[in-house]
Amino acid sequence: MHMTETARRMWKKLTWTWSPGSEKEAGDAVVKNMLLHWFPNKVSISSMSWSYSMWLGTVSFVLFLILCGTGLVLMFLYVPSVERAYSSVKDIEFVVSFGWLLRSMHRISAHLMVASVFLHMVRVFLTGAYKNGTAAGANRPLNWIVGLTLLVLTLLLSFTGYLLPWDQLAYWAITVGTNIARSAPVVGEWMRFVLLGGTTIDQGTLIRFYVLHVFFLPVIVLFLFAYHMWRVRKDGGLAVVDKEDLNRTAVPADPVKSKTYSLLGITNGTSVHVQTKVVEDESTTVTSSPHLLRRILLVSLLTFAVVVLLSVVFPAPLEAPANPSVTPNPAKAPWYFLWLQEIVTVTTVTIGSFTINGALIGGILLPGALLALAVWWPYRDKSGPGSVGVWLSPERKRQNMVFIVICVVILLFTVVGTFLRGPYWNLYWPWESWPDMPVKF
Ligand code: HEM
């Protein structure tokens, strides 16, 4: 008995520098700590609705977790060396029990994550959820920028993973992708050199992409995601709560005789009642546990099921080993960069012997300008509080139209690049066969 008490004290000494002396102090500790404060005590019913957020942010994070889980197992089997990478992936595919499923799940989740993060951004824009509501200290524009960073990181995660199988698909997609970086004025060559760890895609590139892929990028995404969620709480919850708040009028409540914390809680008196319109309202909120947790579990299971199903239907491809002297025709970037490759083609103009290279416009200037526009947008959006947390608010009609047009153009170009481009980047319908191409050495 004495021993356990001593052990308990020792443990407390080792693990605590301070422990709460009262319930209020304990509550304050939860509120002030970033990790403990991840889940609110109560959550508004409207923010859990399927039709508002479509749960795309949660789906994105669940996909990220599936990627971490499958990726950790793949790390035991994959060898990041130019000589052995391809054969280790081949072993995963054909020798390891269920290796093909593991690899397929990892790949499908990566594709789906790019798509779901993009769709999550579209949802946030079309609901005006980057705008502040009534919460003190809200900074949703900042969370929008955090989100944009997460989107770029998601693309980089996928891009760095693309090279690892070291097959023809991997090698040439990264060749096309990194050649675009080269076209940046002044720093282009240097940027490509840093990215590749040399002038060609070789062992230096493979190890660089590998370390970024399995360590740096996932860790940054994890920390940034935690911050993203903390901000959602500090911004007053999802923006739809602000819409609800706006529609409600404050009901003056009679002061209730209850304990008060004044005079260190020794006296009884009238506690201070703030006439709040928001969150703690009994009729519009439920406790996070179990309601929110149950919903998160359901979304996680559904996402997992879809990933498994798609992994079985669409197994991960593995082409011939990478061969720098055999250029496939066409050589395509990863699908989420094909809209840029398409714009590079469209903006490359040849007049006589003079060629204007579209890589600068399509690869650097345009994506840079779009990103800058996205960062700036919440600060130029002057629509009123009625358009916060509302799908397609009439007040934001013009803005939504511009955004939708940009998204549709990106999607159209992606579809053209993915399905309609054949040898020499000529257009072919999906049912048309491509001409036999001489293999160039
Ligand atoms: C790895 C990528 C991302 C993850 C895992 C993620 C996760 C989440 C989650 C779980 C939520 C809660 C609501 C929901 O499920 O929709 C949320 C909200 C939010 N996200 Fe993201 N997000 C990511 C990327 C982005 C991007 C690309 C943007 C925008 C550019 C963004 C902006 C926001 C904003 C502004 C909110 C608050 C929405 C509201 O109040 O209705 N996030 N995010």
Side-chain angles (χ1 to χ4, degrees), residues 52-53 55-58 60-61 113 117 120-121 123-124 127 129-130 140 143-148 150-151 154 221 225 228-229 232 237-240:
Y52 172 67
S53 73
W55 285 78
L56 286 161
T58 309
S60 306
F61 188 63
M113 187 173 165
V117 172
H120 170 61
M121 179 188 71
R123 182 297 274 176
V124 167
T127 53
Y130 54 66
R140 289 214 181 97
N143 214 15
W144 166 262
I145 294 169
V146 171
L148 288 173
L150 280 168
L151 174 65
T154 305
V221 166
F225 169 71
H228 193 55
M229 289 296 94
V232 168
L238 295 192
V240 68

Side-chain angles (χ1 to χ4, degrees), residues 24 258-272:
K24 183 173 184 302
S258 61
K259 269 189 188 157
T260 163
Y261 282 106
S262 61
L263 287 179
L264 298 170
I266 297 166
T267 60
N268 279 335
T270 309
S271 63
V272 182

Side-chain angles (χ1 to χ4, degrees), residues 117-402:
V117 172
F118 177 77
L119 289 175
H120 170 61
M121 179 188 71
V122 171
R123 182 297 274 176
V124 167
F125 191 97
L126 296 182
T127 53
Y130 54 66
K131 289 164 64 66
N132 285 335
T134 49
N139 195 347
R140 289 214 181 97
L142 173 62
N143 214 15
W144 166 262
I145 294 169
V146 171
L148 288 173
T149 315
L150 280 168
L151 174 65
V152 173
L153 288 169
T154 305
L155 292 175
L156 283 178
L157 257 172
S158 188
F159 188 65
T160 47
Y162 222 90
L163 181 67
L164 304 185
W166 206 252
D167 63 349
Q168 279 290 73
L169 187 66
Y171 185 89
W172 289 99
I174 301 305
T175 304
V176 173
T178 51
N179 269 345
I180 289 179
R182 183 184 252 167
S183 59
V186 191
V187 289
E189 281 297 338
W190 174 82
M191 247 166 55
R192 186 169 183 272
F193 188 85
V194 172
L195 212 59
L196 299 190
T199 49
T200 52
I201 297 180
D202 216 324
Q203 182 59 54
T205 322
L206 185 60
I207 203 73
R208 200 160 280 218
F209 275 42
Y210 178 72
V211 174
L212 285 173
H213 186 75
V214 304
F215 181 71
F216 285 102
L217 292 171
V219 168
I220 299 172
V221 166
L222 203 61
F223 276 100
L224 218 53
F225 169 71
Y227 182 65
H228 193 55
M229 289 296 94
W230 186 68
R231 279 246 60 92
V232 168
R233 300 267 299 106
K234 291 294 141 192
D235 294 344
L238 295 192
V240 68
V241 178
D242 284 304
K243 187 197 103 189
E244 255 195 349
D245 176 29
L246 208 66
N247 296 339
R248 202 178 308 151
T249 43
V251 185
D254 285 337
V256 183
K257 284 259 185 188
S258 61
K259 269 189 188 157
T260 163
Y261 282 106
S262 61
L263 287 179
L264 298 170
I266 297 166
T267 60
N268 279 335
T270 309
S271 63
V272 182
H273 275 252
V274 180
Q275 286 184 17
T276 174
K277 291 193 292 174
V278 226
V279 182
E280 296 302 325
D281 189 322
E282 293 289 326
S283 61
T284 56
T285 57
V286 284
T287 49
S288 298
S289 172
H291 298 90
L292 179 63
L293 291 177
R294 209 183 273 161
R295 188 62 69 88
I296 289 175
L297 196 66
L298 179 62
V299 172
S300 308
L301 286 177
L302 284 176
T303 310
F304 189 79
V306 169
V307 167
V308 173
L309 205 74
L310 290 179
S311 309
V312 174
V313 179
F314 303 105
L318 186 63
E319 296 191 354
N323 187 345
S325 52
V326 178
T327 316
N329 189 356
K332 292 189 180 187
W335 65 268
Y336 40 81
F337 287 147
L338 280 180
W339 61 285
L340 292 174
Q341 199 176 348
E342 194 57 33
I343 291 166
V344 170
T345 317
V346 174
T347 50
T348 298
V349 187
T350 308
I351 309 163
S353 59
F354 185 69
T355 302
I356 301 169
N357 187 357
L360 176 62
I361 299 172
I364 309 284
L365 297 182
L366 188 79
L370 282 180
L371 205 59
L373 189 68
V375 169
W376 174 63
W377 203 290
Y379 300 99
R380 69 153 296 284
D381 181 344
K382 299 280 183 269
S383 57
S387 60
V388 181
V390 190
W391 270 98
L392 302 170
S393 147
E395 214 189 327
R396 297 179 60 252
K397 196 172 168 183
R398 276 223 339 250
Q399 304 192 37
N400 285 335
M401 284 305 287
V402 172

